[in-house]
Amino acid sequence: MKYADLHIHTNFSDSTFTPEEVAACANNVGLSAVAICDHDCVDGIELCEKAASSFGIEVVPGIEFTVEKEDAEIHILGFFIDYKAEWLIKKLKDMQESRINRIHAMVAKLNGAGIDVKAEDVFKLAGRGTVGRLHLAQAMIRTGKVKSFKDVFNKYIGFQKPCYVSHVRFSPKETIEAILKAGGVPVLAHPGIMNRDEYIPELIGYGLKGIEVYHTDHKASVVKRYEELAKEYGLLMTGGSDCHGMGKGRVLMGTIRVPYELVEKLKAAAGKNTL
Ligand code: AMP
Ligand code: FE
Ligand code: FE
Ligand code: ZN
């Protein structure tokens, strides 16, 4: 059997793994394909493709976008996007800049709350690509004022917590349309984290084609719920580890995998794009 992990980050967003390390890790855990889905960034895809080809591993070009709806944060994956499209690269550049401003804004709030974290340290941790809350969390822990990721997100920078600042400028509809315009397949990431199943029909109306049923944060009962929901709405069922290298404490690649046929199904769905 051939297997794929369809949700992996590189250090172009908030993983500690380089694209080359992602390829080597995928080889070690016996995967035949991986989807690189960095937050608002496509710069790791080609490097990973190069490294993975020497192992005979296929790389699915992907992305992970964040949108908001009322009181929920929604993550949307795009598979088989044309990551060289100029308009997309320009849009991503804008989003990356807005992420930098947002770090300054969150750092100001945190300083006001007595956490002596410096924006420059966050940017140093982030390196190339996009900067995000996981980098900020790491810098906050280094100050010694906060003890754990759990505290960091629950007390300070989790969605709508006191020091949270949004960087989202596109609606769910605009985001799904952008993925379709880039020739990609829009899929709802880890819906169990969002836990707002009532939003799903609206997203399908905008062109959502699948949901990430299998994910490291989905327990068995949640998986079952989304398998049923996917069948009910005729959605593709994807799955991935959401591996952030050591960014979340341990390497998750290899813990969630889906049959390789799903890659073919996504490829076919991308081919049928009409937008
Ligand atoms: P950002 O794209 O900058 O908003 O950061 C989103 C990332 O922060 C997610 O991909 C996770 O890696 C991390 N994150 C968000 N909320 C939490 C949480 N409650 N606990 C741990 N990590 C989180
Ligand atoms: Fe992340
Ligand atoms: Fe996510
Ligand atoms: Zn992710």
Side-chain angles (χ1 to χ4, degrees), residues 124-172:
K124 236 182 257 166
L125 278 166
R128 56 194 182 176
T130 52
V131 61
R133 277 183 289 162
L134 209 55
H135 304 116
L136 178 57
Q138 283 155 4
M140 285 167 68
I141 285 174
R142 285 188 188 188
T143 66
K145 276 274 173 66
V146 234
K147 293 282 166 273
S148 64
F149 278 112
K150 206 168 162 226
D151 273 0
V152 164
F153 283 98
N154 288 350
K155 291 190 188 156
Y156 300 100
I157 61 169
F159 183 61
Q160 291 182 334
K161 297 292 181 203
C163 301
Y164 176 81
V165 174
S166 171
H167 68 101
V168 173
R169 287 175 302 156
F170 299 101
S171 68

Side-chain angles (χ1 to χ4, degrees), residues 26 69 74 111:
K69 182 173 162 60
I74 307 175
N111 291 163

